[in-house]
Amino acid sequence: MTDPRMNAPLETMAEGRFLALRKRGTWEYADRPRDIRAAVILAIEDDHVLLVEQFRIPLGAVCLEMPAGLIGDETDGEAVLDGAARELEEETGYRPARIAALGEFCSSPGMTSERFTLVRASGLTKVGDGGGDSDEQITVHRVKLSDIAAFVAERRAAGVVIDAKMLLLLAGGLLS
């Protein structure tokens, strides 16, 4: 299926290092320049999952999320699985022995062209504290899978915003 609006010229309204604001016809959206991609990491070991909490400037609030990061933002041509493993270690301090792609998904298709690869990381070994790079202040949570719903409810009650991708864990379909 195609849409006639795709025939309208593409206009770049603004562009920064990590985002561009584009317009095609009357539709405005955010785009990732330079083939930057994203990975979201489902890191499960011994019936526990790794989650991260960090302040997100666009929300003006702390957000609970699965570990995630940009791929190809620092190194052109970075492989998704390599970048996902790098991001997991940087954010959480855990290194995966195995990492596999589960598929490509859209984060907010009406507002951004960004797609992310969901990966599953296993064989986790703690090799550091995590916490992200110098611009990030990430809190790492290791949560028992059977306690996910209660943990999310507790964090929401504390005023933490919950990333919609957390619904994957709450629904449970990817855990089996």
Side-chain angles (χ1 to χ4, degrees), residues 135-155:
D135 289 339
E136 300 170 311
Q137 296 172 351
I138 296 173
T139 301
V140 180
H141 299 285
R142 187 174 181 269
V143 182
K144 191 170 183 172
L145 291 172
S146 61
D147 295 340
I148 289 290
F151 182 76
V152 170
E154 171 192 307
R155 299 313 299 142

PDB file of all heavy atoms in Angstrom, residues 135-155:
ATOM      1  N   ASP A 135      27.307  11.490  30.342  1.00  0.00           N
ATOM      2  CA  ASP A 135      26.096  12.304  30.230  1.00  0.00           C
ATOM      3  C   ASP A 135      24.876  11.630  30.845  1.00  0.00           C
ATOM      4  O   ASP A 135      23.798  12.202  30.839  1.00  0.00           O
ATOM      5  CB  ASP A 135      25.792  12.605  28.753  1.00  0.00           C
ATOM      6  CG  ASP A 135      26.779  13.572  28.146  1.00  0.00           C
ATOM      7  OD1 ASP A 135      27.430  14.318  28.907  1.00  0.00           O
ATOM      8  OD2 ASP A 135      26.904  13.593  26.918  1.00  0.00           O
ATOM      9  N   GLU A 136      25.024  10.410  31.305  1.00  0.00           N
ATOM     10  CA  GLU A 136      23.885   9.643  31.814  1.00  0.00           C
ATOM     11  C   GLU A 136      24.081   9.327  33.300  1.00  0.00           C
ATOM     12  O   GLU A 136      25.201   9.184  33.765  1.00  0.00           O
ATOM     13  CB  GLU A 136      23.742   8.328  31.042  1.00  0.00           C
ATOM     14  CG  GLU A 136      23.519   8.523  29.556  1.00  0.00           C
ATOM     15  CD  GLU A 136      23.630   7.233  28.771  1.00  0.00           C
ATOM     16  OE1 GLU A 136      24.621   6.500  28.957  1.00  0.00           O
ATOM     17  OE2 GLU A 136      22.726   6.974  27.972  1.00  0.00           O
ATOM     18  N   GLN A 137      22.981   9.214  33.979  1.00  0.00           N
ATOM     19  CA  GLN A 137      22.975   8.787  35.378  1.00  0.00           C
ATOM     20  C   GLN A 137      21.921   7.699  35.488  1.00  0.00           C
ATOM     21  O   GLN A 137      20.786   7.949  35.882  1.00  0.00           O
ATOM     22  CB  GLN A 137      22.683   9.962  36.302  1.00  0.00           C
ATOM     23  CG  GLN A 137      23.768  11.010  36.244  1.00  0.00           C
ATOM     24  CD  GLN A 137      23.391  12.266  37.003  1.00  0.00           C
ATOM     25  OE1 GLN A 137      22.275  12.452  37.438  1.00  0.00           O
ATOM     26  NE2 GLN A 137      24.365  13.146  37.157  1.00  0.00           N
ATOM     27  N   ILE A 138      22.313   6.496  35.108  1.00  0.00           N
ATOM     28  CA  ILE A 138      21.380   5.387  35.002  1.00  0.00           C
ATOM     29  C   ILE A 138      21.398   4.554  36.282  1.00  0.00           C
ATOM     30  O   ILE A 138      22.461   4.196  36.779  1.00  0.00           O
ATOM     31  CB  ILE A 138      21.751   4.503  33.791  1.00  0.00           C
ATOM     32  CG1 ILE A 138      21.580   5.319  32.500  1.00  0.00           C
ATOM     33  CG2 ILE A 138      20.915   3.234  33.756  1.00  0.00           C
ATOM     34  CD1 ILE A 138      22.080   4.611  31.252  1.00  0.00           C
ATOM     35  N   THR A 139      20.202   4.260  36.767  1.00  0.00           N
ATOM     36  CA  THR A 139      20.033   3.334  37.885  1.00  0.00           C
ATOM     37  C   THR A 139      19.631   1.988  37.291  1.00  0.00           C
ATOM     38  O   THR A 139      18.713   1.921  36.472  1.00  0.00           O
ATOM     39  CB  THR A 139      18.942   3.832  38.854  1.00  0.00           C
ATOM     40  OG1 THR A 139      19.316   5.122  39.332  1.00  0.00           O
ATOM     41  CG2 THR A 139      18.759   2.866  40.011  1.00  0.00           C
ATOM     42  N   VAL A 140      20.321   0.940  37.704  1.00  0.00           N
ATOM     43  CA  VAL A 140      20.063  -0.399  37.182  1.00  0.00           C
ATOM     44  C   VAL A 140      19.199  -1.177  38.178  1.00  0.00           C
ATOM     45  O   VAL A 140      19.454  -1.138  39.379  1.00  0.00           O
ATOM     46  CB  VAL A 140      21.392  -1.162  36.946  1.00  0.00           C
ATOM     47  CG1 VAL A 140      21.127  -2.558  36.390  1.00  0.00           C
ATOM     48  CG2 VAL A 140      22.299  -0.362  36.013  1.00  0.00           C
ATOM     49  N   HIS A 141      18.184  -1.831  37.664  1.00  0.00           N
ATOM     50  CA  HIS A 141      17.321  -2.685  38.480  1.00  0.00           C
ATOM     51  C   HIS A 141      17.385  -4.106  37.934  1.00  0.00           C
ATOM     52  O   HIS A 141      17.285  -4.311  36.716  1.00  0.00           O
ATOM     53  CB  HIS A 141      15.862  -2.214  38.418  1.00  0.00           C
ATOM     54  CG  HIS A 141      15.646  -0.845  38.933  1.00  0.00           C
ATOM     55  ND1 HIS A 141      15.643  -0.537  40.276  1.00  0.00           N
ATOM     56  CD2 HIS A 141      15.419   0.331  38.276  1.00  0.00           C
ATOM     57  CE1 HIS A 141      15.419   0.765  40.426  1.00  0.00           C
ATOM     58  NE2 HIS A 141      15.282   1.308  39.234  1.00  0.00           N
ATOM     59  N   ARG A 142      17.541  -5.069  38.817  1.00  0.00           N
ATOM     60  CA  ARG A 142      17.465  -6.494  38.464  1.00  0.00           C
ATOM     61  C   ARG A 142      16.200  -7.001  39.145  1.00  0.00           C
ATOM     62  O   ARG A 142      16.134  -7.082  40.369  1.00  0.00           O
ATOM     63  CB  ARG A 142      18.707  -7.241  38.958  1.00  0.00           C
ATOM     64  CG  ARG A 142      18.772  -8.675  38.496  1.00  0.00           C
ATOM     65  CD  ARG A 142      20.119  -9.304  38.904  1.00  0.00           C
ATOM     66  NE  ARG A 142      20.211 -10.673  38.440  1.00  0.00           N
ATOM     67  CZ  ARG A 142      19.819 -11.726  39.155  1.00  0.00           C
ATOM     68  NH1 ARG A 142      19.322 -11.554  40.373  1.00  0.00           N
ATOM     69  NH2 ARG A 142      19.920 -12.937  38.663  1.00  0.00           N
ATOM     70  N   VAL A 143      15.172  -7.285  38.326  1.00  0.00           N
ATOM     71  CA  VAL A 143      13.836  -7.557  38.843  1.00  0.00           C
ATOM     72  C   VAL A 143      13.423  -8.987  38.507  1.00  0.00           C
ATOM     73  O   VAL A 143      13.566  -9.422  37.359  1.00  0.00           O
ATOM     74  CB  VAL A 143      12.810  -6.564  38.252  1.00  0.00           C
ATOM     75  CG1 VAL A 143      11.417  -6.818  38.822  1.00  0.00           C
ATOM     76  CG2 VAL A 143      13.251  -5.120  38.492  1.00  0.00           C
ATOM     77  N   LYS A 144      12.892  -9.676  39.487  1.00  0.00           N
ATOM     78  CA  LYS A 144      12.382 -11.025  39.262  1.00  0.00           C
ATOM     79  C   LYS A 144      11.192 -10.938  38.300  1.00  0.00           C
ATOM     80  O   LYS A 144      10.334 -10.063  38.441  1.00  0.00           O
ATOM     81  CB  LYS A 144      11.956 -11.657  40.600  1.00  0.00           C
ATOM     82  CG  LYS A 144      11.666 -13.114  40.507  1.00  0.00           C
ATOM     83  CD  LYS A 144      11.491 -13.718  41.880  1.00  0.00           C
ATOM     84  CE  LYS A 144      11.265 -15.216  41.677  1.00  0.00           C
ATOM     85  NZ  LYS A 144      11.262 -15.940  42.929  1.00  0.00           N
ATOM     86  N   LEU A 145      11.169 -11.813  37.306  1.00  0.00           N
ATOM     87  CA  LEU A 145      10.121 -11.759  36.289  1.00  0.00           C
ATOM     88  C   LEU A 145       8.726 -11.812  36.897  1.00  0.00           C
ATOM     89  O   LEU A 145       7.824 -11.101  36.451  1.00  0.00           O
ATOM     90  CB  LEU A 145      10.297 -12.893  35.281  1.00  0.00           C
ATOM     91  CG  LEU A 145      11.515 -12.758  34.370  1.00  0.00           C
ATOM     92  CD1 LEU A 145      11.708 -14.011  33.540  1.00  0.00           C
ATOM     93  CD2 LEU A 145      11.384 -11.536  33.481  1.00  0.00           C
ATOM     94  N   SER A 146       8.533 -12.619  37.913  1.00  0.00           N
ATOM     95  CA  SER A 146       7.207 -12.727  38.535  1.00  0.00           C
ATOM     96  C   SER A 146       6.814 -11.465  39.289  1.00  0.00           C
ATOM     97  O   SER A 146       5.643 -11.287  39.640  1.00  0.00           O
ATOM     98  CB  SER A 146       7.158 -13.944  39.467  1.00  0.00           C
ATOM     99  OG  SER A 146       8.124 -13.807  40.498  1.00  0.00           O
ATOM    100  N   ASP A 147       7.767 -10.552  39.525  1.00  0.00           N
ATOM    101  CA  ASP A 147       7.497  -9.313  40.255  1.00  0.00           C
ATOM    102  C   ASP A 147       7.385  -8.087  39.348  1.00  0.00           C
ATOM    103  O   ASP A 147       7.253  -6.959  39.852  1.00  0.00           O
ATOM    104  CB  ASP A 147       8.614  -9.048  41.282  1.00  0.00           C
ATOM    105  CG  ASP A 147       8.663 -10.099  42.373  1.00  0.00           C
ATOM    106  OD1 ASP A 147       7.652 -10.806  42.582  1.00  0.00           O
ATOM    107  OD2 ASP A 147       9.728 -10.216  43.017  1.00  0.00           O
ATOM    108  N   ILE A 148       7.445  -8.286  38.024  1.00  0.00           N
ATOM    109  CA  ILE A 148       7.460  -7.149  37.089  1.00  0.00           C
ATOM    110  C   ILE A 148       6.262  -6.223  37.282  1.00  0.00           C
ATOM    111  O   ILE A 148       6.417  -5.017  37.405  1.00  0.00           O
ATOM    112  CB  ILE A 148       7.531  -7.632  35.621  1.00  0.00           C
ATOM    113  CG1 ILE A 148       8.897  -8.207  35.311  1.00  0.00           C
ATOM    114  CG2 ILE A 148       7.192  -6.522  34.628  1.00  0.00           C
ATOM    115  CD1 ILE A 148      10.003  -7.183  35.250  1.00  0.00           C
ATOM    116  N   ALA A 149       5.051  -6.768  37.293  1.00  0.00           N
ATOM    117  CA  ALA A 149       3.854  -5.920  37.390  1.00  0.00           C
ATOM    118  C   ALA A 149       3.872  -5.099  38.677  1.00  0.00           C
ATOM    119  O   ALA A 149       3.588  -3.895  38.659  1.00  0.00           O
ATOM    120  CB  ALA A 149       2.591  -6.768  37.298  1.00  0.00           C
ATOM    121  N   ALA A 150       4.215  -5.716  39.790  1.00  0.00           N
ATOM    122  CA  ALA A 150       4.257  -5.001  41.065  1.00  0.00           C
ATOM    123  C   ALA A 150       5.367  -3.945  41.058  1.00  0.00           C
ATOM    124  O   ALA A 150       5.177  -2.833  41.570  1.00  0.00           O
ATOM    125  CB  ALA A 150       4.460  -5.990  42.218  1.00  0.00           C
ATOM    126  N   PHE A 151       6.517  -4.284  40.471  1.00  0.00           N
ATOM    127  CA  PHE A 151       7.628  -3.331  40.413  1.00  0.00           C
ATOM    128  C   PHE A 151       7.248  -2.112  39.575  1.00  0.00           C
ATOM    129  O   PHE A 151       7.502  -0.961  39.983  1.00  0.00           O
ATOM    130  CB  PHE A 151       8.879  -4.010  39.837  1.00  0.00           C
ATOM    131  CG  PHE A 151      10.069  -3.103  39.787  1.00  0.00           C
ATOM    132  CD1 PHE A 151      10.786  -2.805  40.934  1.00  0.00           C
ATOM    133  CD2 PHE A 151      10.469  -2.533  38.586  1.00  0.00           C
ATOM    134  CE1 PHE A 151      11.879  -1.949  40.891  1.00  0.00           C
ATOM    135  CE2 PHE A 151      11.564  -1.682  38.531  1.00  0.00           C
ATOM    136  CZ  PHE A 151      12.269  -1.390  39.690  1.00  0.00           C
ATOM    137  N   VAL A 152       6.625  -2.333  38.416  1.00  0.00           N
ATOM    138  CA  VAL A 152       6.193  -1.218  37.561  1.00  0.00           C
ATOM    139  C   VAL A 152       5.167  -0.363  38.297  1.00  0.00           C
ATOM    140  O   VAL A 152       5.244   0.868  38.286  1.00  0.00           O
ATOM    141  CB  VAL A 152       5.648  -1.735  36.212  1.00  0.00           C
ATOM    142  CG1 VAL A 152       4.968  -0.622  35.428  1.00  0.00           C
ATOM    143  CG2 VAL A 152       6.779  -2.339  35.382  1.00  0.00           C
ATOM    144  N   ALA A 153       4.211  -0.981  38.966  1.00  0.00           N
ATOM    145  CA  ALA A 153       3.202  -0.233  39.719  1.00  0.00           C
ATOM    146  C   ALA A 153       3.855   0.606  40.820  1.00  0.00           C
ATOM    147  O   ALA A 153       3.483   1.766  41.031  1.00  0.00           O
ATOM    148  CB  ALA A 153       2.167  -1.190  40.310  1.00  0.00           C
ATOM    149  N   GLU A 154       4.838   0.029  41.490  1.00  0.00           N
ATOM    150  CA  GLU A 154       5.565   0.744  42.549  1.00  0.00           C
ATOM    151  C   GLU A 154       6.301   1.961  41.988  1.00  0.00           C
ATOM    152  O   GLU A 154       6.264   3.050  42.566  1.00  0.00           O
ATOM    153  CB  GLU A 154       6.562  -0.214  43.204  1.00  0.00           C
ATOM    154  CG  GLU A 154       7.526   0.418  44.169  1.00  0.00           C
ATOM    155  CD  GLU A 154       8.647  -0.534  44.548  1.00  0.00           C
ATOM    156  OE1 GLU A 154       8.346  -1.666  44.972  1.00  0.00           O
ATOM    157  OE2 GLU A 154       9.829  -0.154  44.394  1.00  0.00           O
ATOM    158  N   ARG A 155       6.972   1.788  40.849  1.00  0.00           N
ATOM    159  CA  ARG A 155       7.720   2.898  40.249  1.00  0.00           C
ATOM    160  C   ARG A 155       6.762   3.992  39.756  1.00  0.00           C
ATOM    161  O   ARG A 155       7.049   5.177  39.883  1.00  0.00           O
ATOM    162  CB  ARG A 155       8.628   2.401  39.102  1.00  0.00           C
ATOM    163  CG  ARG A 155       9.689   1.378  39.516  1.00  0.00           C
ATOM    164  CD  ARG A 155      10.480   1.750  40.780  1.00  0.00           C
ATOM    165  NE  ARG A 155      11.212   2.989  40.616  1.00  0.00           N
ATOM    166  CZ  ARG A 155      11.360   3.905  41.590  1.00  0.00           C
ATOM    167  NH1 ARG A 155      10.845   3.727  42.783  1.00  0.00           N
ATOM    168  NH2 ARG A 155      12.029   4.997  41.342  1.00  0.00           N
TER     169      ARG A 155
END
